Amino acid sequence: MADEVILLDYWPSPFGARARIALREKGVEFETREENLRDKSPLLLQMNPIHKKIPVLIHNGKPVCESMNVVQYIDEVWSDRNPILPSDPYQRAQARFWVDFVDTKLFEPADKLWQTKGEEQETAKKDYIEALKILESELGDKPYFGGDTFGFVDIAMTGYYSWFEASEKLGNFSIEPECPILMASAKRCLQRESVVKSLHDSEKILELAYQLRKIYCV
């Protein structure tokens, strides 16, 4: 009997993008159910009653929540193809460390870039670039955070890469002069087939970002 794989998602979400990319890296067929985050479906509330957030992967009726937990689950269940996490325990631990860094140090300033203005936005911009520079230092001269292969940290970052253009325009700054090596890796990631099929047009994301900015910065 074939697996039933359903993804509760929201198209511009960098976190939903992680699950989409991981599934496509593994070649897993799945059904997407788009959520309205202002009017969440009974299924989302049933499958993620604690956080009530997307993405939720429903595999044969069982829910898996939190984006990188979902990615790791996908890697473990479909372990016969395209490994996402390294096999070496130390390298796996390092990958998890850097994903935690991404979600604790990059998420908040990334949000504030389009939610704030003035001095608060300038502080967010500084914190955002500082976090990106630390990540660039970890990347070094490797094509991907996973070395020669697109892996766990790359998937975590690619959701943010999809918002780079919107962040730059709303924050009135440029990432590439500050982090040229990271940007080169970002462009490499954005060209992958799994990523191209999983992300929406940057202009559509920018349009949404301007709409959100009007709501948050009256």
Side-chain angles (χ1 to χ4, degrees):
M1 188 173 176
D3 283 334
E4 181 187 53
V5 182
I6 298 168
L7 182 65
L8 306 185
D9 199 2
Y10 175 51
W11 69 267
S13 168
F15 305 106
R18 294 168 168 180
R20 279 173 249 147
I21 292 165
L23 287 165
R24 290 192 169 106
E25 282 288 319
K26 294 287 188 175
V28 177
E29 294 290 328
F30 65 99
E31 175 191 346
T32 299
R33 295 194 187 173
E34 190 73 9
E35 286 288 331
N36 177 354
L37 299 187
R38 294 191 176 188
D39 184 18
K40 297 173 182 178
S41 73
L43 182 61
L44 175 59
L45 300 179
Q46 176 192 347
M47 292 293 169
N48 191 358
I50 305 300
H51 296 303
K52 304 176 178 64
K53 293 179 179 180
I54 61 91
V56 179
L57 183 77
I58 307 171
H59 183 206
N60 295 332
K62 296 178 180 178
V64 183
C65 307
E66 296 297 299
S67 64
M68 295 312 292
N69 188 42
V70 169
V71 171
Q72 186 166 342
Y73 177 84
I74 291 166
D75 194 37
E76 291 173 356
V77 170
W78 292 279
S79 59
D80 59 330
R81 60 198 103 152
N82 291 356
I84 292 170
L85 273 155
S87 58
D88 178 75
Y90 178 76
Q91 291 179 355
R92 289 170 76 90
Q94 288 298 300
R96 292 191 195 100
F97 172 87
W98 285 108
V99 164
D100 181 69
F101 177 89
V102 168
D103 285 344
T104 55
K105 297 297 185 181
L106 202 59
F107 173 72
E108 187 175 343
D111 256 14
K112 286 183 177 178
L113 284 172
W114 53 267
Q115 288 184 355
T116 62
K117 54 187 175 181
E119 189 176 331
E120 193 174 357
Q121 189 190 52
E122 289 301 312
T123 299
K125 198 185 307 183
K126 180 185 171 190
D127 292 344
Y128 186 66
I129 290 294
E130 184 179 328
L132 290 178
K133 284 183 173 180
I134 292 170
L135 286 161
E136 182 176 66
S137 178
E138 168 59 20
L139 175 66
D141 60 0
K142 303 186 296 290
Y144 300 105
F145 284 98
D148 291 329
T149 56
F150 179 78
F152 197 59
V153 183
D154 302 292
I155 289 176
M157 283 297 291
T158 299
Y160 286 96
Y161 296 155
S162 69
W163 276 79
F164 267 9
E165 183 178 348
S167 298
E168 289 176 321
K169 290 191 176 177
L170 269 66
N172 192 29
F173 72 110
S174 180
I175 295 169
E176 191 158 14
E178 301 282 352
C179 304
I181 298 170
L182 181 67
M183 279 299 293
S185 183
K187 290 173 183 176
R188 196 174 292 116
C189 291
L190 291 170
Q191 290 171 356
R192 289 183 71 83
E193 184 180 358
S194 64
V195 175
V196 171
K197 289 181 176 179
S198 299
L199 300 183
H200 287 264
D201 182 72
S202 60
E203 286 300 316
K204 195 175 176 184
I205 290 176
L206 180 61
E207 183 182 337
L208 174 67
Y210 277 122
Q211 291 171 2
L212 292 171
R213 185 165 180 78
K214 285 179 183 177
I215 294 170
Y216 286 95
C217 298
V218 179

